[in-house]
Structures are given as structure tokens and as C-alpha cells.
Amino acid sequence: MISQANDYAVRSLIFLSQQPPERFIPAKIIARNLKIPAFFLAKILQKLTRKKIILAARGPKGGLTLNKKARRLTLREIFGTVDRVPVIRKCVYDKKF
């Protein structure tokens, strides 16, 4: 099971990946667009910033942007940063494989 925090982190990173590379997006814009509680999202974004997955800038043109190419990010890296890596207890592939 994926935690709510991990879900919000992935959705936020997808949102940032769809923005122009040099554009900083305010956290409240991310929260509003994704319908995520701003206070909870702020905690998640702070963790992602500390691990340098995203960059933060203060000021009138401040906000957040990806620090890496989206395709270089792994769920393991995101989940390990935000909450925890979920334990998968059974095979995710169909028995045919």
C-alpha cells in the first residue's frame, strides 16, 4: 500500500515535470491544482528539497522546480525520501509471466 504522503509526492513531481524547466512554481499553486492540503504538501516538499530532488527559491518569483530530469527519478528514491518504501508482499505480475 502506498501512503498518502508518497502519493502526494509523486503527483507533485509529475506536476513539476510538466512545467517549463526553469520555471519555479509556488507550493500553493501545486496544492491548489492537485487538490492537496497545503500544510501537508509543504512538509512533503521540504523533504524533497532536503534530498535535492527539487529546488526551492524564495521571493516574488520563487517556488519549486525539479532538480533532476523526471525520467532519472525512481519511486524508491521518492518513497524513501518522503515516507517509506512500501513492502510488496505478493508478486505484482500475473502468474502467466
Side-chain angles (χ1 to χ4, degrees):
M1 182 68 129
I2 296 171
S3 71
Q4 189 74 58
N6 282 333
D7 176 61
Y8 288 167
V10 170
R11 290 173 48 207
S12 298
L13 292 168
I14 290 170
F15 180 80
L16 288 172
S17 75
Q18 295 169 338
Q19 308 307 313
E22 301 298 320
R23 183 166 176 222
F24 284 81
I25 309 297
K28 64 183 176 183
I29 299 295
I30 299 169
R32 188 179 323 133
N33 277 279
L34 300 177
K35 297 178 178 50
I36 297 173
F39 183 75
F40 190 37
L41 181 62
K43 292 179 181 183
I44 294 166
L45 296 174
Q46 187 176 46
K47 290 178 183 182
L48 294 170
T49 302
R50 268 193 241 124
K51 285 290 188 168
K52 300 187 178 169
I53 294 172
I54 59 176
L55 295 175
R58 294 178 185 246
K61 293 189 178 188
L64 303 143
T65 191
L66 286 181
N67 191 33
K68 311 178 159 184
K69 300 261 186 216
R71 68 181 135 219
R72 301 215 31 154
L73 288 171
T74 65
L75 289 176
R76 183 176 202 49
E77 179 181 12
I78 297 164
F79 291 172
T81 297
V82 173
D83 191 20
R84 59 183 159 65
V85 177
V87 176
I88 299 172
R89 301 194 188 280
K90 62 183 190 178
C91 182
V92 295
Y93 295 105
D94 189 25
K95 293 180 182 183
K96 296 176 193 171
F97 293 64

